[in-house]
Amino acid sequence: LWDAITDPVVGWISDNHRGRFGRRRPFIVIGAVLLALTFPLIWQVDRSWSQPRLAAWLIGSGLVFYSCYTIWA
């Protein structure tokens, strides 16, 4: 469901982007950097966290990660 929202939005933004490096290159570079920064967040959990807190962390970090993936892809 998240991709159904973010994919068209980022696609529209990148289609209408007019920059000196082209329409897609800035998104590939920025997305790659953001992916490298957000991927470790998924694994930064503490064993003492409760199940609801762990689930909330995984859902939140997953949404951030896949948003960055959408920018990159």
Side-chain angles (χ1 to χ4, degrees):
L1 290 174
W2 185 248
D3 278 341
I5 297 167
T6 58
D7 283 352
V9 171
V10 173
W12 182 84
I13 292 170
S14 71
D15 285 344
N16 293 313
H17 177 72
R18 305 280 186 250
R20 73 177 207 200
F21 297 113
R23 290 191 309 181
R24 308 283 189 245
R25 283 189 196 117
F27 293 95
I28 293 171
V29 171
I30 291 169
V33 170
L34 291 174
L35 278 173
L37 294 174
T38 58
F39 182 71
L41 289 178
I42 296 171
W43 310 107
Q44 300 299 318
V45 296
D46 191 3
R47 289 182 182 230
S48 66
W49 286 1
S50 65
Q51 289 294 323
R53 184 174 180 185
L54 179 62
W57 177 264
L58 292 175
I59 289 170
S61 62
L63 288 175
V64 170
F65 175 76
Y66 282 111
S67 298
C68 296
Y69 179 78
T70 297
I71 294 170
W72 174 77

